[in-house]
Amino acid sequence: MEQIRKNQLTKKDTQKRLMKRLSAPHPAALILTLSVLALGVLMVLSVSIGVSDIGWRTIIDSLFAFDETNTSHVILRDLRIPRILAASLVGAFLAVSGVIMQALTLNPLASPSIMGVTSGSAFMIAIAFAFYPESTYFQLIFWSFAGAALGAGMVFTIGSFSKRGLTPVKLALAGAAVSALLQSLSTIIALHFNVARDISFWFAGGVAGVRMESVRLVSIIALGGLLAAFALSRSLTIMGLGEEMAKGLGIRIGWIKFISTLIVLILTGAAVSIAGTVGYIGLIIPHITKKVMGMDYRWVIPSSAVFGAGLLVIADIAARTINQPYETPVGALTAMIGVPFFLVLARKEGRG
């Protein structure tokens, strides 16, 4: 008994020393604090931008002295504020999902959009519209979760047939093939059952027209996923050094992978149910965050949430201003950034 206790103490001491060594050598707390402040500024700025010019005085009045007869107040309360909150939540959810996927698979090309997760969610939403048109928004969320699981399962099943194992590029190719298949099936279903108009929003990607009720419902579900991701950050840091070392340090690999997979499905499903198939945030943000914050996931995960939220808020501002009074799909803007980023990473991994 005494020997077991000594071994446990040794493992804990080793973990502490390891985490201390992996901690970022720069003031990570300061960077994260400044990032949160910058996100707050972006969100406030986003409130004032749109087809209708609304001054700061009107914004303050709508928050503290709402007048339902004032058109500007109604626009702010019912359209812009829910939209900004949705953009920040979706960006955070997708970024953290990407971080966890890359940590679990040790694959720098992993992300919800590339691994078929977002396409799976959109596919199941298309099925819901075609066969269960009376589905409530709450039911659509669970359809989205089921689709996320379907997409991820298909990618890993196809990738497992590879003779030389799941290399990053092979897994990404399997994800691209599954995503294309599910998107094609979604289009066929939409056209055959005449629901293309209903699901076009999920295909284009964006946060226009999001209601506060939807934001509240999804945030209650998915914020639990974010908190769980923060709780697992220490274990994910150690797993990043390899499974053998993690096992030697007492990390329960199977349990961590199971919980982490559930978190990815919840966060991605929630994001798709709000904003549709917004891609590449889960690919871009983890790499940027790790460059800035180091490899300690206790800093990487919360920082990714903030950076992802900021990126999608910026993309949403651009979507409203590039071609006024019309809207540009947010998914198209993130793809313009993400596709070159993905090609550079794929070329680098292919050489490796």
Side-chain angles (χ1 to χ4, degrees):
M1 191 72 181
E2 187 65 28
Q3 185 63 35
I4 294 172
R5 194 174 297 162
K6 283 182 180 179
N7 289 340
Q8 288 176 340
L9 288 173
T10 303
K11 287 178 181 177
K12 287 182 180 178
D13 290 339
T14 305
Q15 285 187 26
K16 285 180 182 178
R17 287 197 295 269
L18 184 62
M19 297 303 293
K20 187 175 181 180
R21 202 164 75 189
L22 288 172
S23 294
H26 45 66
L30 177 61
I31 295 173
L32 181 57
T33 302
L34 292 175
S35 300
V36 171
L37 292 174
L39 175 61
V41 171
L42 278 173
M43 292 174 71
V44 172
L45 179 65
S46 181
V47 174
S48 64
I49 296 174
V51 177
S52 301
D53 290 327
I54 298 176
W56 294 106
R57 181 67 185 174
T58 306
I59 294 171
I60 294 170
D61 288 342
S62 72
L63 293 173
F64 299 104
F66 180 72
D67 180 5
E68 61 183 14
T69 63
N70 188 317
T71 305
S72 296
H73 285 200
V74 173
I75 290 172
L76 287 167
R77 185 69 70 89
D78 292 346
L79 297 177
R80 292 196 186 174
I81 292 176
R83 177 176 187 154
I84 294 156
L85 292 175
S88 58
L89 286 173
V90 169
F93 295 163
L94 292 175
V96 172
S97 294
V99 166
I100 294 174
M101 290 182 78
Q102 290 179 15
L104 287 180
T105 62
L106 298 179
N107 182 354
L109 300 177
S111 79
S113 56
I114 292 169
M115 306 296 283
V117 183
T118 53
S119 298
S121 291
F123 171 68
M124 291 303 286
I125 286 176
I127 290 209
F129 273 111
F131 297 101
Y132 305 96
E134 302 301 321
S135 296
T136 64
Y137 185 75
F138 188 77
Q139 290 169 331
L140 284 178
I141 293 174
F142 283 96
W143 279 104
S144 185
F145 293 159
L150 172 68
M154 288 177 67
V155 169
F156 281 97
T157 300
I158 292 172
S160 65
F161 291 123
S162 174
K163 292 181 180 179
R164 297 181 183 178
L166 281 173
T167 64
V169 173
K170 286 177 181 177
L171 203 55
L173 289 173
V178 168
S179 295
L181 173 64
L182 293 176
Q183 287 170 4
S184 299
L185 291 175
S186 300
T187 303
I188 291 169
I189 290 169
L191 294 174
H192 182 74
F193 291 95
N194 199 28
V195 292
R197 202 171 185 180
D198 295 325
I199 65 173
S200 59
F201 164 78
W202 274 272
F203 289 161
V207 288
V210 174
R211 299 296 178 186
M212 186 59 80
E213 294 77 17
S214 304
V215 174
R216 286 197 195 101
L217 181 60
V218 170
S219 62
I220 290 170
I221 297 171
L223 286 176
L226 283 180
L227 292 175
F230 299 152
L232 290 178
S233 59
R234 183 187 185 92
S235 298
L236 290 174
T237 301
I238 296 173
M239 282 179 62
L241 301 172
E243 290 192 9
E244 290 301 319
M245 181 176 285
K247 285 178 183 176
L249 293 173
I251 300 298
R252 298 171 67 182
I253 302 293
W255 180 247
I256 296 298
K257 283 188 174 183
F258 175 72
I259 297 296
S260 298
T261 302
L262 283 181
I263 292 170
V264 169
L265 298 181
I266 289 171
L267 293 180
T268 306
V272 173
S273 70
I274 296 179
T277 53
V278 177
Y280 295 101
I281 288 179
L283 175 70
I284 299 168
I285 294 299
H287 287 278
I288 293 173
T289 307
K290 283 182 272 192
K291 282 284 185 184
V292 175
M293 306 300 286
M295 294 303 295
D296 187 347
Y297 281 82
R298 293 175 298 178
W299 293 110
V300 170
I301 287 177
S303 300
S304 292
V306 176
F307 294 170
L311 177 59
L312 199 55
V313 169
I314 291 170
D316 182 53
I317 292 173
R320 281 180 272 164
T321 55
I322 286 175
N323 190 30
Q324 286 187 342
Y326 305 104
E327 292 237 2
T328 304
V330 171
L333 296 178
T334 57
M336 287 175 64
I337 304 169
V339 169
F341 195 92
F342 170 74
L343 291 175
V344 170
L345 281 176
R347 182 178 176 84
K348 182 180 177 183
E349 290 303 311
R351 285 175 175 172

